[in-house]
């Protein structure tokens, strides 16, 4: 079955209060499920004294995302592991390892499709990939390659903007636009690749829907923020339907999607964010930056349902944007980030 088909479940319908009421009991149940099934996770909860009842989602115990780089955390028997996902590790650092059973893998694929359906619609669209085909042929499959390969599931007639040597293949793009340029089509690429190559093509992309993610650090060094990114693409390519997304392998299947006006990232109904003060760990109010905690009901085969990331962010509004719920912005990485607390308890028990 095509991942963009299936039941047309809607995942951007709950306001903040309703979402809190729906998510809390599910996340509490997941916390207890993982406590019983994953010994290292149980040791962490015992060490920090985490016990129900929890009054709010923000009260649930979190794990630092980097623990998945250093410890095996799974809540299913080894023989039930269907797939092991790995993140891209920097030099000298082990990648995260995420254990999925068949049920979790299927749910994550289904809910990712439901999330992207918000901007792509029900049918696979012709797809222009701002990368080289070689990125998906590498047997070791980098995180970039895995991202491209995953998004290719949502398109058809895949055409790559770059040739095997990483040079712009203007002829291939022109042929693609001759076939599909008068109807809606999908463009996908990592943010810095889009900025580097898409504007230089000098073609009309007014019918495109751009989905992009990652690579903001390189653009920040050029003083290019999200508003300038969107303005230049509109002016130079006619590209106005632009959607950034935020996600990570540790919560695969969960992506936080930029609204149509570029006013922030929105949480699907099965997920949410909490912004935490990095000194007190208390929840920061809207408008006050802190560390991003991501919560999702999808991680059922490993305890990744409440994760403290190493990214700084801020909630810009609640139930006041183009989609319901929290509207937030990612501000960048916490320099030399290392969450204190839970990571120090792994050897106990």
């Amino acid at each position: 079955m095509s991942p963009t088909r299936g039941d047309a479940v809607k995942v951007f319908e709950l306001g903040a209060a309703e979402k809190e009421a729906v998510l809390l009991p599910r996340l509490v149940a997941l916390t207890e499920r993982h406590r019983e099934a994953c010994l290292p996770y149980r040791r962490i909860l015992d060490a920090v004294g985490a016990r129900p009842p929890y009054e709010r989602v923000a009260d649930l115990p979190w794990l630092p995302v980097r623990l998945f780089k250093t410890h095996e955390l799974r809540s299913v028997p080894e023989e039930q592991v269907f797939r092991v996902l790995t993140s891209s590790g920097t030099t000298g650092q082990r990648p995260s390892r995420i254990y999925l059973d068949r049920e979790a893998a299927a749910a994550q694929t289904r809910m990712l499709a439901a999330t992207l359906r918000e901007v792509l619609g029900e049918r696979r669209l012709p797809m222009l990939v701002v990368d080289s085909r070689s990125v998906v042929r590498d047997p070791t499959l980098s995180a970039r390659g895995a991202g491209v390969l995953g998004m290719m599931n949502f398109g058809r007639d895949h055409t790559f903007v770059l040739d095997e040597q990483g040079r712009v293949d203007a002829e291939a793009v022109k042929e693609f636009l001759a076939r599909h340029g008068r109807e809606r089509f999908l463009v996908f690429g990592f943010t810095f690749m889009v900025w580097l190559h898409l504007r230089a093509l000098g073609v009309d992309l007014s019918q495109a829907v751009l989905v992009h993610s990652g690579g903001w650090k390189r653009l920040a060094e050029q003083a290019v923020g999200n508003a300038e990114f969107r303005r230049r693409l509109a002016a130079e390519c006619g590209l106005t339907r632009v959607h950034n997304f935020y996600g990570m392998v540790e919560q695969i299947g969960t992506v936080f999607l930029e609204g149509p006006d570029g006013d922030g990232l929105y949480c699907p109904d099965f997920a949410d964010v909490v912004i935490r003060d990095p000194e007190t760990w208390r929840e920061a109010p809207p408008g006050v930056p802190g560390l991003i905690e991501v919560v999702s009901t999808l991680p059922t085969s490993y305890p990744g349902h409440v994760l403290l990331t190493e990214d700084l962010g801020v909630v810009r509004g609640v139930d006041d944007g183009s989609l319901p719920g929290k509207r937030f912005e990612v501000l960048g990485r916490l320099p030399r980030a290392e969450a204190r607390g839970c990571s120090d308890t792994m050897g106990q028990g």
Side-chain angles (χ1 to χ4, degrees):
M1 179 183 293
S2 165
T4 55
R5 296 180 185 274
D7 53 357
V9 59
K10 302 289 188 181
V11 296
F12 287 101
E13 296 199 314
L14 301 180
E18 188 179 0
K19 179 182 290 189
E20 173 84 11
V22 169
L23 286 184
L24 180 60
R26 296 179 184 177
L27 291 168
V28 169
L30 266 180
T31 299
E32 296 311 301
R33 170 176 172 167
H34 293 310
R35 184 199 298 268
E36 292 301 314
C38 179
L39 179 58
Y41 182 67
R42 187 188 317 162
R43 287 173 174 162
I44 292 170
L45 297 193
D46 288 347
V48 300
R51 288 282 175 188
Y54 305 105
E55 299 298 327
R56 301 167 58 245
V57 168
D59 296 336
L60 290 162
W62 44 262
L63 290 186
V65 72
R66 68 171 46 207
L67 282 187
F68 291 91
K69 297 181 183 296
T70 57
H71 294 80
E72 181 176 318
L73 297 167
R74 57 179 169 84
S75 302
V76 293
E78 191 170 1
E79 61 271 16
Q80 290 183 19
V81 172
F82 169 64
R83 183 175 298 149
V84 180
L85 303 174
T86 58
S87 68
S88 56
T90 56
T91 303
Q93 186 181 62
R94 285 193 292 173
S96 295
R97 292 178 63 82
I98 305 302
Y99 299 88
L100 301 179
D101 61 5
R102 289 184 181 276
E103 178 186 357
Q108 291 173 341
T109 299
R110 186 171 65 252
M111 299 316 288
L112 175 61
T115 304
L116 292 177
R117 191 182 294 124
E118 180 72 22
V119 296
L120 299 182
E122 294 290 332
R123 296 186 301 167
R124 291 177 186 259
L125 297 176
M127 184 173 182
L128 202 57
V129 182
V130 190
D131 217 313
S132 167
R133 190 176 292 276
S134 62
V135 78
V136 299
R137 287 179 175 158
D138 183 349
T140 60
L141 201 62
S142 66
R144 191 169 113 199
V148 170
L149 203 58
M151 280 300 299
M152 285 174 66
N153 288 322
F154 300 99
R156 60 181 175 85
D157 193 15
H158 309 100
T159 299
F160 288 79
V161 171
L162 306 183
D163 64 18
E164 296 287 346
Q165 286 71 47
R167 298 171 303 206
V168 172
D169 189 345
E171 194 59 35
V173 174
K174 288 177 183 176
E175 291 174 2
F176 175 89
L177 292 175
R179 296 192 301 272
H180 304 297
R182 292 179 296 278
E183 60 182 335
R184 208 160 67 104
F185 61 93
L186 168 63
V187 179
F188 172 75
F190 288 89
T191 306
F192 75 94
M193 300 282 285
V194 169
W195 180 257
L196 190 62
H197 299 298
L198 209 58
R199 296 178 305 124
L201 286 170
V203 295
D204 178 12
L205 300 175
S206 58
Q207 296 303 309
V209 179
L210 171 65
V211 176
H212 69 103
S213 182
W216 281 109
K217 181 180 179 183
R218 299 193 193 188
L219 295 190
E221 293 167 355
Q222 302 176 38
V224 178
N226 190 40
E228 176 70 359
F229 179 86
R230 295 172 67 95
R231 186 189 71 78
R232 292 280 292 275
L233 286 175
E236 298 175 30
C237 309
L239 188 49
T240 58
R241 286 174 287 192
V242 177
H243 299 275
N244 185 21
F245 72 84
Y246 174 68
M248 63 203 69
V249 72
E250 291 85 2
Q251 273 190 3
I252 195 75
T254 303
V255 296
F256 302 90
L257 195 63
E258 185 179 37
D261 301 326
D263 59 349
L265 297 159
Y266 291 86
C267 311
D269 292 344
F270 54 88
D272 210 348
V273 296
V274 176
I275 306 297
R276 292 199 180 275
D277 183 311
E279 296 297 326
T280 66
W281 303 123
R282 294 192 182 95
E283 183 178 12
V288 177
L291 278 172
I292 299 173
E293 174 187 301
V294 290
V295 303
S296 171
T297 60
L298 296 188
T300 55
S301 57
Y302 65 99
H305 57 306
V306 186
L307 297 180
L308 190 71
T309 75
E310 297 174 348
D311 295 320
L312 291 168
V314 60
V315 172
R316 294 297 187 194
V318 181
D319 292 332
D320 65 348
S322 54
L323 295 171
K326 291 177 185 173
R327 176 171 59 85
F328 74 101
E329 180 183 354
V330 179
L331 302 176
R333 299 281 283 180
L334 185 69
R336 301 187 63 184
E338 182 169 358
R340 303 186 305 272
C342 287
S343 59
D344 298 326
T345 70
M346 289 298 296
Q348 299 184 27

